[in-house]
Amino acid sequence: MKCIKGLITILFFGCLWSVNAQVKVKVSGEIFNGTGDSVYVSQINGNKYLDHLKGKLDKKGNFVLEGKIPAPDYYVFRIGTHSINIVLRNNADLKIYGDAQKFAQFHNIVNSDETVKLNEFVDQMRLYNYKKDSATQYLRLHPEQEKAINESFYLVYLEFKTYKERFLEENPNSAALLPILSEVDPEKEFPFYEKVVQNLLVGFADSPSIQQTKLQYEQMLAKKQALSFLDPGKEAPDFTQNKSDGTPLKLSDLRGMVVLVDFWASWCGPCRQENPNVVRLYEKYKDAGFTVMSVSLDNNQANWLKAIEKDKLSWPNHVSDLLGWKNEVAKLYRVTGIPFTVLLDKEGKIINKNLRGADLENTLKAIFGF
């Protein structure tokens, strides 16, 4: 992966609001087993809480937090070290009941169905990420079981993917949809990503978080439009670049084979982590007509060749002009981050881009039938 997404940090980030944007809200309820504890309505700003409303539980555990908050948006209600996500709109009258000692597991929210649904999704998201992290950790300890682990986790992935799609359909235009975005790769799932954003803009456009999401979407859309020449079905731009011995290699020389054009570099950690998967798939499918053309963004030949040898990149198609990020092929393909891949069919037309890991394996399995 190019980066690791946080679980729910997308929900809360520092924004600046005008005084005129303030809205009046009321959050009240009863919390058992927490007499005298303070309760807060807050947002997360970096690694700190930004508290907007504060109060204490009375002897019976009752509390009332009433006042103005900066804007209709996503907040957290917290007591001690426990917290839950809440959605607050103008004149919200949210009621919360729960057990202070096990608040995350035992709480009830009244007068905000979108808050209930949001927390339901976050719970499922945390469970999915726990399973993903466990599978990753087990794979590190048992690399010889990579195939079985990938196949097993792929079922978990499909189950959560189906859950995300069903959640969107069952909660149209709901503020509860926001955390879905932390589990979507816009480069691979842009139509789904776009649909989530459009639903949020209909349902909660006055939220600063949604306005920030809109800005991110517009940037992603512009990037996608700029890369439309790499859409599936289009012919990949041809190029020629020198191999390590100085002889030129042309992409179109590989016509008749399924080709993975793989942009990488010896200094790129995520690239090096993905290399064993590419090596394994190359060995599996090379006799069926699959090959790899690696375009290195190195600027040091010794480091480039050492990485090829160390990672056992046994295919012969390694090219580079040793200009780093100024690599002419990288500029032609508008590469802004690595690893970046483009998979081509035997006629040189694009099958898909940015395929890695299980996605690449499943695509090759569908092409070659084994």
Side-chain angles (χ1 to χ4, degrees):
M1 298 176 65
K2 293 181 184 177
C3 61
I4 304 298
K5 300 184 181 74
L7 282 182
I8 56 172
T9 52
I10 190 171
L11 290 177
F12 314 108
F13 41 80
C15 295
L16 297 177
W17 301 279
S18 67
V19 174
N20 293 333
Q22 289 190 341
V23 296
K24 186 177 181 181
V25 300
K26 180 180 179 181
V27 180
S28 60
E30 183 178 2
I31 308 296
F32 305 101
N33 298 324
T35 303
D37 284 353
S38 295
V39 290
Y40 306 85
V41 168
S42 313
Q43 286 185 305
I44 298 173
N45 186 4
N47 295 320
K48 297 180 179 179
Y49 284 111
L50 178 62
D51 299 325
H52 298 297
L53 301 176
K54 177 182 177 181
K56 282 185 176 294
L57 304 180
D58 66 15
K59 294 180 180 180
K60 295 183 179 180
N62 296 306
F63 70 94
V64 177
L65 300 178
E66 192 168 12
K68 291 184 177 182
I69 55 174
D73 208 1
Y74 299 86
Y75 296 83
V76 291
F77 173 82
R78 61 190 187 95
I79 175 170
T81 59
H82 303 285
S83 65
I84 57 171
N85 308 302
I86 58 176
V87 179
L88 293 176
R89 299 174 183 264
N90 192 27
N91 295 318
D93 186 5
L94 200 65
K95 298 185 183 301
I96 301 175
Y97 305 90
D99 183 336
Q101 303 305 312
K102 300 178 180 179
F103 188 63
Q105 296 89 351
F106 300 104
H107 63 265
N108 185 34
I109 300 166
V110 180
N111 292 343
S112 179
D113 290 342
E114 57 191 1
T115 293
V116 173
K117 290 295 183 180
L118 186 149
N119 282 286
E120 286 180 4
F121 185 88
V122 169
D123 287 344
Q124 291 300 314
M125 182 171 63
R126 283 175 170 149
L127 178 60
Y128 169 73
N129 279 278
Y130 171 77
K131 292 178 180 178
K132 181 168 64 174
D133 293 343
S134 296
T136 301
Q137 184 176 4
Y138 190 81
L139 179 59
R140 290 196 190 103
L141 297 174
H142 304 280
E144 73 283 358
Q145 299 182 32
E146 180 180 9
K147 181 179 179 181
I149 295 169
N150 284 338
E151 289 178 351
S152 177
F153 182 74
Y154 187 63
L155 298 176
V156 177
Y157 163 78
L158 287 179
E159 182 181 9
F160 186 66
K161 182 175 183 291
T162 300
Y163 172 74
K164 285 189 299 184
E165 293 168 351
R166 186 173 67 249
F167 190 85
L168 172 58
E169 295 304 316
E170 293 176 352
N171 298 279
N173 304 329
S174 171
L177 299 175
L178 182 60
I180 292 180
L181 296 180
S182 64
E183 293 297 331
V184 175
D185 184 342
E187 293 183 353
K188 297 178 182 178
E189 306 171 87
F190 189 83
F192 182 72
Y193 164 77
E194 184 174 50
K195 188 174 181 180
V196 174
V197 173
Q198 290 173 344
N199 272 258
L200 287 165
L201 287 170
V202 171
F204 205 18
D206 53 352
S207 156
S209 295
I210 301 306
Q211 287 301 310
Q212 180 69 19
T213 298
K214 178 185 177 183
L215 177 61
Q216 293 167 349
Y217 160 72
E218 290 171 344
Q219 293 170 343
M220 184 62 63
L221 180 61
K223 179 180 177 182
K224 179 177 175 57
Q225 291 171 341
L227 291 175
S228 62
F229 70 100
L230 295 179
D231 284 347
K234 295 191 175 180
E235 187 170 322
D238 201 7
F239 61 84
T240 302
Q241 200 154 88
N242 286 346
K243 299 166 68 174
S244 60
D245 62 3
T247 60
L249 177 63
K250 195 173 185 179
L251 175 61
S252 56
D253 290 341
L254 302 177
R255 292 282 170 84
M257 304 189 75
V258 174
V259 181
L260 181 72
V261 182
D262 186 6
F263 293 88
W264 75 296
S266 65
W267 44 261
C268 170
C271 304
R272 303 292 295 274
Q273 291 171 13
E274 175 66 9
N275 277 345
N277 182 59
V278 179
V279 170
R280 179 175 61 82
L281 294 174
Y282 173 71
E283 293 298 328
K284 180 177 180 179
Y285 292 111
K286 64 180 181 179
D287 293 334
F290 172 65
T291 193
V292 182
M293 187 169 189
S294 296
V295 182
S296 172
L297 272 63
D298 277 284
N299 55 20
N300 182 293
Q301 186 172 31
N303 292 342
W304 173 34
L305 297 179
K306 183 178 179 181
I308 292 173
E309 181 180 3
K310 184 174 182 179
D311 292 0
K312 299 181 173 60
L313 309 184
S314 54
W315 49 90
N317 314 310
H318 292 276
V319 300
S320 181
D321 56 14
L322 297 175
L323 294 178
W325 282 109
K326 296 181 180 179
N327 183 290
E328 290 299 325
V329 182
K331 289 195 291 184
L332 175 66
Y333 277 69
R334 302 180 190 176
V335 175
T336 58
I338 53 175
F340 180 77
T341 63
V342 183
L343 185 65
L344 313 181
D345 67 15
K346 294 180 179 181
E347 287 73 43
K349 293 183 179 179
I350 295 167
I351 298 172
N352 213 332
K353 59 181 178 289
N354 259 336
L355 292 175
R356 294 187 291 277
D359 291 331
L360 177 59
E361 181 171 10
N362 291 323
T363 301
L364 292 176
K365 187 182 296 184
I367 292 171
F368 294 108
F370 66 95

